[in-house]
């Protein structure tokens, strides 16, 4: 499923620091995700401007900025920081969870917590697509579909999808005129219920529908 709706620009793959469980726990915190979103959209901010924008105290935003910096999600802007005044910017990153069977219990628990936190936001995005849709030439677009693929074909498809993001997406440092922040979501999973549907359709064609 691909969902396109104005929110946050796609970033090129990067990497975050630290162990995986700490990374997932960091991203599971809703305020830290809001801080990252603000920095991605506004490029730079300090704890005071973040506190004002997010309705939090300066001490709270300062603490969470340091935690994000520890994991490599944000960095200081040296040319604007001095003394107690510290400005921050978001770093591009891409995190791909490993095979759950190879994750420690703490890592898996943190990854699940992070996934649940994201799911609520993704549901909100989906309904925004429905309300903001203005036709095939508008900003909000969505697509649902399914095909038969081999594992190799699926992996090749996903690789090309990521390449398309890098080809057409822009970072906060090279935004062309007329560009807007856009959020995209993709997932693919085997759907064996499709096989049951195919079998039912074949049975109906051969024997007629049973009322």
């Amino acid at each position: 499923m691909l969902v396109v709706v104005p929110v946050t620009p796609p970033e090129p793959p990067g990497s975050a620091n630290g162990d995986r469980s700490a990374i997932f726990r960091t991203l599971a915190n809703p305020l830290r995700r809001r801080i990252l979103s603000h920095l991605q959209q506004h490029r730079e901010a300090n704890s005071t401007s973040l506190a004002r924008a997010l309705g939090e105290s300066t001490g709270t935003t300062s603490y969470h900025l340091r935690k994000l910096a520890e994991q490599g999600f944000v960095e200081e802007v040296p040319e604007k920081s001095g003394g107690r005044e510290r400005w921050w910017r978001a770093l591009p990153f891409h995190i791909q969870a490993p095979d759950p069977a190879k994750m420690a219990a703490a890592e898996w628990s943190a990854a699940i917590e992070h996934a649940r936190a994201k799911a609520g936001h993704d549901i909100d995005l989906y309904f925004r697509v429905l309300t903001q849709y203005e036709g095939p030439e508008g900003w909000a677009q969505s697509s649902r579909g399914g095909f038969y693929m081999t594992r190799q074909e699926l992996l090749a498809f996903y690789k090309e999808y990521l390449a398309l993001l890098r080809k057409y997406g822009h970072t906060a440092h090279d935004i062309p005129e007329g560009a807007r922040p856009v959020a995209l979501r993709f997932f693919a999973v085997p759907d064996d219920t499709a096989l049951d549907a195919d079998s039912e359709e074949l049975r109906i064609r051969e024997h007629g529908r049973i009322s």
Side-chain angles (χ1 to χ4, degrees):
M1 177 181 183
L2 173 63
V3 174
V4 185
V5 58
V7 172
T8 304
E11 296 284 4
S15 61
N17 303 318
D19 67 273
R20 289 190 297 258
S21 58
I23 289 172
F24 290 131
R25 284 196 301 271
T26 295
L27 291 177
N29 183 286
L31 179 54
R32 292 173 191 170
R33 294 199 308 276
R34 291 173 63 202
I35 290 174
L36 278 175
S37 177
H38 183 90
L39 289 174
Q40 288 165 347
Q41 294 186 42
H42 299 278
R43 301 193 182 186
E44 300 173 357
N46 58 18
S47 59
T48 301
S49 61
L50 277 169
R52 187 183 309 114
L54 303 180
E56 301 286 343
S57 70
T58 301
T60 298
T61 54
S62 179
Y63 169 79
H64 287 293
L65 281 166
R66 292 195 301 272
K67 290 300 181 181
L68 287 167
E70 288 176 5
Q71 300 302 325
F73 293 111
V74 304
E75 67 176 3
E76 277 195 65
V77 183
E79 59 271 22
K80 297 183 69 173
S81 299
R84 300 184 62 181
E85 182 75 8
R86 306 174 73 182
W87 284 78
W88 302 86
R89 60 189 168 211
L91 293 170
F93 64 90
H94 174 73
I95 297 173
Q96 185 170 1
D99 182 348
K102 299 178 181 179
M103 298 176 72
E107 293 176 342
W108 176 242
S109 177
I112 288 296
E113 183 182 359
H114 176 223
R116 285 174 176 165
K118 292 191 300 181
H121 178 61
D122 291 346
I123 291 172
D124 290 340
L125 288 179
Y126 179 75
F127 283 103
R128 283 182 58 189
V129 173
L130 299 180
T131 59
Q132 296 181 15
Y133 182 72
E134 297 178 340
E137 302 300 321
W139 277 97
Q141 301 293 329
S142 69
S143 172
R144 298 177 72 248
F147 300 90
Y148 285 86
M149 292 183 179
T150 66
R151 185 167 63 89
Q152 290 73 21
E153 288 170 339
L154 173 60
L155 295 177
F157 177 87
Y158 183 52
K159 183 178 180 180
E160 290 188 33
Y161 166 75
L162 295 178
L164 284 172
L165 290 185
R166 292 190 289 272
K167 177 180 179 180
Y168 291 102
H170 302 275
T171 69
H173 304 290
D174 66 344
I175 303 175
E177 183 178 355
R180 294 178 64 186
V182 172
L184 299 95
R185 301 292 186 268
F186 168 88
F187 69 83
V189 62
D191 182 14
D192 292 332
T193 59
L195 298 177
D196 297 334
D198 288 345
S199 298
E200 176 66 10
E201 182 181 354
L202 178 61
R203 186 181 65 82
I204 291 173
R205 287 202 306 266
E206 290 180 345
H207 306 288
R209 182 176 297 276
I210 300 176
S211 58

